[in-house]
Amino acid sequence: MPSVDKKLPKLGESTIAEVVAALTAEEKVSLLIGTGMDFPGLPPKLQAPVVGSTQKGRVPGAAGSTCAVPRLGIPSIVMADGPAGVRISPTRKDSAESFFCTAFPIATLLASSWDIELVKNVGRAMGHEAKEYGVDILLAPALNIHRIPLGGRNFEYYSEDPLVSGKIAAAMTNGVQSQGVGTSVKHLVANNHEWNRNVINVKVDQRALREIYLKGFEIVIKESNPWTVMTSYNKVNGVYTSESYELLSTILREQWGFSGFVVTDWLAGRDPVAQLKAGNDLLMPGSIYQQEVLLEAIKSGELDESICDRDIENILGIILKCQAFQGYQYSNRPDLIANAEICRSSASQGMVLLRNSDKALPVKENTRFGLFGTASYAMITGGTGSGDVNKAYTVSLATGLRAAGFTCSDALESCYQEFIATEKSRNPVSTDAFMPRVALPEYIISEEQLFDTTLQTDVAVITIGRHSGEFVDRQAVGGFYLTDEEKNLIRKVSTAYRKQSKKVLVILNIGGAVETASWCDQVDAILIAWQPGQEAGHAVADILRGKVNPSGKLATTFASRLEDYPSFGNFPGVTLVARNEEEKSAAVGDKAAEIEYNDGIAVGYRAINAEHKTESATVFFPFGFGLSYTVFNYSNLQLSNNEFESDLTVSVDITNTGDVAGREIVQLYLSAPSHDRVKPVAELKGFNKTGLLKPQQSQTLSFTIGLADLSSFDPVQSLWVVEKGCYVIKIGASSMDIRLEANFNKVAASQLSV
Ligand code: BGC
């Protein structure tokens, strides 16, 4: 705790109001903006503000910090990214030690586990690392909707569905915050792709906004009480989210009961005064421009000091909970060994088995592998940008399989390693985590070498890798679609191995959906390993050898073609010619941009499933889909009532009828009557995962359906409405594999206030 003058109020001893009353205008402004960012090439007005007192640099490489006001006992707090682990510098000028953090699996993998306890545990582990490195607030979780598979930051986000996003984000928040470290739930709202993200105006109707884009945030606020919320860069319906009173004060605080502070995304928005007035309490990372504008606005009366006081009270309420205030003596020695284990086990729980013909997996003991694809030797642990993590190591697939007792062709590995080294020296990997990474090209294997490898090995594994990250969206080819090189590799390897009656497996080392329809028949098994964090190779090996029975399921549809996604027609949006100087300066260059979400609520499976039939599951993998090494039987669907009163309980028995132990994710979809408004054919309203069931073992899973689950948002009345009539509960192994159904009736229509 900083030493303070006894006569003055002190944070923690006096009331927050008394502390705020003792602040000068300069101090107030210093608390409302961060201490600045060291980023090469920042224009002068975005340079760090001039501050009297700060502990800037306490945690090198952290994204930002706030100003201290020692005379009133207000410490500086530190914020660090991000969703896949703590991002700080691994080295420090003044120390010979290292400060690595665990690169955990990406958010999309965690969501594919559909496992609340598992995600909470990963959150605890991240919170522990943040705490021991002196970080007060982790800038995570991120839960924007996967509206389009090309979204550059989809890897940081959970799902195309708001319920999965909200529940998993709440689990992450609860886990991190259990360690006394805050979270920043981001990016509120509609930052669904990167193209022109700083200026784009997202035009979205109120129903879609509430039911799809805001719903996950509403769940996480109500179920986990995050300390902070981060607004997004973009505008929604003409207003920057960080300048939207309706979003921040009306919806977030009044309607949802949020009680922490709201922080901008880094350098987001245009008008600091409008941001503070709207209820965006803290402007990060803080700049000299903001400092000057705010001081001037206070002086001129344009910014009422009571607005500043309100925002500072929100900030101080959270600072009181931070370890910087509590005086926690962090060790700089988190338990990285224990966290590597959590990384490995959570990674294998979120991997998704898409195909497994003739029980290609698990493989036999002593299998000799031929590993193809550059990513087999250079697995991609996560995405780039602020979601990147400075980790100590990456376990490659080759290392993971060898550690599990298998052999991998050394001759093939030597060729790949040589090729990778040459490629890396030709195109050095940027040391700047924020820069997009260029994928390694594929090594073109000769017929002869392929033939030899086929003879010397039993099974081929082809790893297809994908980079993505902040600032850019993925390309169609090389992003969603495989490149010709990759397709040729699969075709050649498949032909050679199948000639010898040997199996071919594909590992998808990806951060977002890829096309599988055109090539999946050429291979025997497909495992989505996602970007699984630093223990990548071990986690994949655990599944290939059957130590872990895969139990992940897709939280995002893998369609056959980009055109199948309803958002495709209006992505990424259009650029507009600026009409005046203000628009010019607000835009990148002189272009503003706009996108119309005219797919409304028809996002992901809500629309795609209606277009496809179950039989097409071999060429497209629906939301909720994932195979296991065992099979499960669904029986005894029970509803607590046939008539809906307040809550309804649903239960179902799940039995493992196969011959190995496994876990099953069970999904509850609801088909609602649609007399007054169009409803999707079915919407996910609950999910649950069994424990590890032995063969013949059963477990009863329960779900609760509340009135809110029956409702739709009515933009005219601005409230949630529930139609009367017959509702159908559908219990499924995926959104297109419904196993049991039951009806209930809602006698009268009703309404729910927001
Ligand atoms: C990202 C945020 C991140 C922030 C701080 C921004 O570029 O959009 O997600 O938390 O940087 O690093």
Side-chain angles (χ1 to χ4, degrees):
M1 281 275 299
S3 73
V4 290
D5 185 330
K6 288 230 164 48
K7 286 178 225 138
L8 290 168
K10 273 195 285 184
L11 188 65
E13 289 178 13
S14 319
T15 64
I16 290 183
E18 285 165 344
V19 174
V20 172
L23 290 163
T24 64
E26 285 71 19
E27 285 169 334
K28 285 183 185 175
V29 169
S30 77
L31 286 171
L32 292 165
I33 61 178
T35 59
M37 177 165 71
D38 296 324
F39 202 74
L42 271 186
K45 71 178 210 171
L46 299 183
Q47 305 280 330
V50 181
V51 285
S53 176
T54 172
Q55 285 176 268
K56 195 171 166 212
R58 178 159 64 83
V59 182
S65 54
T66 62
C67 272
V69 183
R71 68 184 193 95
L72 301 176
I74 303 173
S76 160
I77 60 168
V78 174
M79 303 178 186
D81 286 302
V86 183
R87 186 173 64 83
I88 59 172
S89 295
T91 53
R92 294 182 186 174
K93 280 191 197 114
D94 56 356
S95 169
E97 291 176 18
S98 60
F99 301 83
F100 288 112
C101 295
T102 307
F104 288 96
I106 58 166
T108 314
L109 179 150
L110 293 177
S112 310
S113 76
W114 304 60
D115 186 335
I116 300 291
E117 277 313 310
L118 175 137
V119 177
K120 214 186 266 178
N121 201 31
V122 173
R124 275 185 214 113
M126 280 188 204
H128 161 76
E129 274 181 40
K131 185 170 187 180
E132 292 309 324
Y133 278 134
V135 171
D136 298 285
I137 291 176
L138 186 71
L139 301 172
L143 67 149
N144 294 98
I145 291 290
H146 292 166
R147 175 172 178 268
I148 177 91
L150 300 182
R153 295 182 85 173
N154 279 8
F155 77 96
E156 283 186 73
Y157 305 148
Y158 294 113
S159 170
E160 69 188 20
D161 178 81
L163 181 76
V164 178
S165 302
K167 293 277 181 191
I168 298 290
M172 177 59 77
T173 302
N174 282 323
V176 173
Q177 293 190 171
S178 71
Q179 303 302 297
V181 168
T183 54
S184 196
V185 168
K186 66 190 189 184
H187 311 88
L188 185 76
V189 60
N191 179 189
N192 305 101
H193 64 257
E194 291 297 279
W195 183 79
N196 270 341
R197 67 176 183 177
N198 291 313
V199 293
I200 197 154
N201 178 28
V202 175
K203 292 168 88 179
V204 52
D205 70 71
Q206 289 300 320
R207 181 174 176 199
L209 189 59
R210 291 282 187 153
E211 292 186 21
I212 304 290
Y213 299 101
L214 285 174
K215 193 66 183 174
F217 287 98
E218 180 181 354
I219 293 171
V220 73
I221 301 300
K222 291 182 174 167
E223 297 190 4
S224 63
N225 201 15
W227 292 10
T228 82
V229 165
M230 187 190 292
T231 43
S232 56
Y233 285 114
N234 52 285
K235 294 177 185 174
V236 171
N237 296 327
V239 184
Y240 280 109
T241 58
S242 59
E243 296 174 10
S244 169
Y245 186 88
E246 190 196 357
L247 178 66
L248 304 182
S249 295
T250 308
I251 297 179
L252 181 65
R253 284 196 193 274
E254 278 171 35
Q255 296 178 359
W256 298 348
F258 174 66
S259 60
F261 71 77
V262 179
V263 51
T264 57
D265 199 342
W266 268 227
L267 305 173
R270 298 295 143 189
D271 180 350
V273 176
Q275 289 175 314
L276 294 188
K277 284 185 179 169
N280 199 124
D281 309 295
L282 176 65
L283 314 185
M284 288 300 283
S287 69
I288 194 145
Y289 167 76
Q290 289 167 332
Q291 186 176 37
E292 286 168 3
V293 169
L294 292 177
L295 278 170
E296 186 48 44
I298 292 177
K299 227 199 285 166
S300 70
E302 187 200 346
L303 178 61
D304 197 308
E305 271 193 65
S306 65
I307 302 274
C308 301
D309 295 352
R310 176 201 68 187
D311 292 349
I312 293 170
E313 284 178 17
N314 292 332
I315 297 170
L316 293 183
I318 294 301
I319 289 184
L320 276 172
K321 301 200 228 179
C322 289
Q323 52 166 325
F325 177 80
Q326 307 271 338
Y328 181 71
Q329 297 298 310
Y330 52 93
S331 64
N332 277 328
R333 294 264 171 286
D335 191 344
L336 296 179
I337 307 276
N339 284 359
E341 200 38 55
I342 292 172
C343 171
R344 175 175 179 164
S345 57
S346 55
S348 60
Q349 291 291 322
M351 292 182 181
V352 182
L353 185 63
L354 289 185
R355 178 177 170 85
N356 194 17
S357 58
D358 289 336
K359 296 196 174 171
L361 290 176
V363 298
K364 297 196 184 70
E365 266 181 47
N366 302 324
T367 295
R368 295 168 304 162
F369 286 105
L371 301 186
F372 301 86
T374 45
S376 290
Y377 304 94
M379 280 197 90
I380 300 162
T381 57
T384 55
S386 56
D388 196 13
V389 180
N390 293 311
K391 60 205 172 289
Y393 61 87
T394 301
V395 178
S396 72
L397 182 58
T399 306
L401 288 172
R402 288 194 179 110
F406 297 107
T407 43
C408 302
S409 165
D410 292 326
L412 186 60
E413 170 155 18
S414 309
C415 297
Y416 266 101
Q417 294 292 16
E418 198 182 312
F419 175 77
I420 290 170
T422 313
E423 285 303 321
K424 281 189 174 164
S425 65
R426 280 208 310 198
N427 285 314
V429 178
S430 167
T431 47
D432 183 348
F434 275 84
M435 291 321 288
R437 277 183 211 139
V438 183
L440 283 166
E442 275 311 335
Y443 169 61
I444 313 285
I445 190 164
S446 69
E447 292 298 332
E448 195 187 346
Q449 190 181 14
L450 179 57
F451 181 73
D452 290 348
T453 312
T454 313
L455 287 184
Q456 288 153 15
T457 59
D458 309 307
V459 171
V461 177
I462 307 166
T463 307
I464 302 292
R466 286 284 177 276
H467 286 288
S468 64
E470 217 177 325
F471 307 119
V472 271
D473 295 310
R474 298 194 299 152
Q475 297 290 318
V477 176
F480 181 74
Y481 295 108
L482 269 50
T483 60
D484 286 345
E485 279 180 341
E486 289 167 337
K487 284 186 182 166
N488 285 340
L489 179 68
I490 292 177
R491 193 178 34 75
K492 275 165 72 172
V493 172
S494 166
T495 309
Y497 275 75
R498 284 189 167 174
K499 243 188 222 157
Q500 307 273 336
S501 304
K502 293 179 177 177
K503 308 253 186 219
V504 181
L505 320 176
V506 166
I507 308 293
L508 294 174
N509 182 198
I510 55 180
V514 295
E515 181 272 332
T516 52
S518 67
W519 53 268
C520 72
D521 286 342
Q522 297 169 38
V523 304
D524 302 285
I526 305 174
L527 176 72
I528 308 178
W530 302 112
Q531 292 164 346
Q534 66 187 41
E535 291 284 318
H538 288 319
V540 173
D542 287 341
I543 290 196
L544 297 195
R545 68 179 163 137
K547 182 180 167 206
V548 174
N549 183 351
S551 63
K553 293 192 179 185
L554 294 177
T556 281
T557 304
F558 274 42
S560 313
R561 302 169 312 162
L562 276 176
E563 304 87 281
D564 294 343
Y565 293 91
S567 51
F568 184 73
N570 46 40
F571 169 82
V574 292
T575 49
L576 311 165
V577 176
R579 288 164 299 189
N580 51 42
E581 284 308 309
E582 197 206 333
E583 282 186 2
K584 232 180 213 182
S585 74
V588 173
D590 66 347
K591 299 277 189 230
E594 192 163 273
I595 181 168
E596 184 135 12
Y597 284 11
N598 54 17
D599 40 335
I601 60 164
V603 174
Y605 72 89
R606 284 171 166 76
I608 301 173
N609 284 9
E611 308 285 319
H612 292 264
K613 295 273 174 290
T614 324
E615 306 86 65
S616 64
T618 51
V619 291
F620 109 89
F621 297 105
F623 178 82
F625 178 85
L627 298 172
S628 164
Y629 296 154
T630 187
V631 277
F632 297 94
N633 182 55
Y634 289 52
S635 64
N636 195 24
L637 173 59
Q638 302 274 351
L639 267 52
S640 58
N641 261 319
N642 292 332
E643 212 136 90
F644 190 89
E645 277 155 22
S646 51
D647 275 355
L648 195 97
T649 310
V650 178
S651 67
V652 61
D653 293 347
I654 307 298
T655 307
N656 179 352
T657 53
D659 45 22
V660 288
R663 300 182 70 192
E664 174 72 332
I665 294 160
V666 180
Q667 300 148 47
L668 186 155
Y669 295 89
L670 187 69
S671 294
S674 54
H675 309 301
D676 301 337
R677 58 192 52 74
V678 177
K679 290 271 200 175
V681 175
E683 288 183 290
L684 185 79
K685 295 296 176 187
F687 59 88
N688 211 333
K689 192 166 184 175
T690 67
L692 189 68
L693 298 180
K694 295 196 195 101
Q696 303 316 317
Q697 197 180 347
S698 297
Q699 185 178 347
T700 304
L701 295 181
S702 319
F703 308 81
T704 305
I705 297 293
L707 195 57
D709 296 314
L710 276 47
S711 67
S712 296
F713 189 75
D714 181 348
V716 179
Q717 305 178 74
S718 199
L719 40 78
W720 295 85
V721 289
V722 180
E723 292 194 25
K724 66 176 184 186
C726 175
Y727 288 75
V728 187
I729 299 266
K730 299 177 170 177
I731 300 291
S734 88
S735 60
M736 289 184 63
D737 182 7
I738 301 302
R739 303 287 180 87
L740 298 166
E741 290 190 8
N743 299 350
F744 67 86
N745 191 41
K746 174 97 178 53
V747 179
S750 49
Q751 298 177 338
L752 279 159
S753 57
V754 280

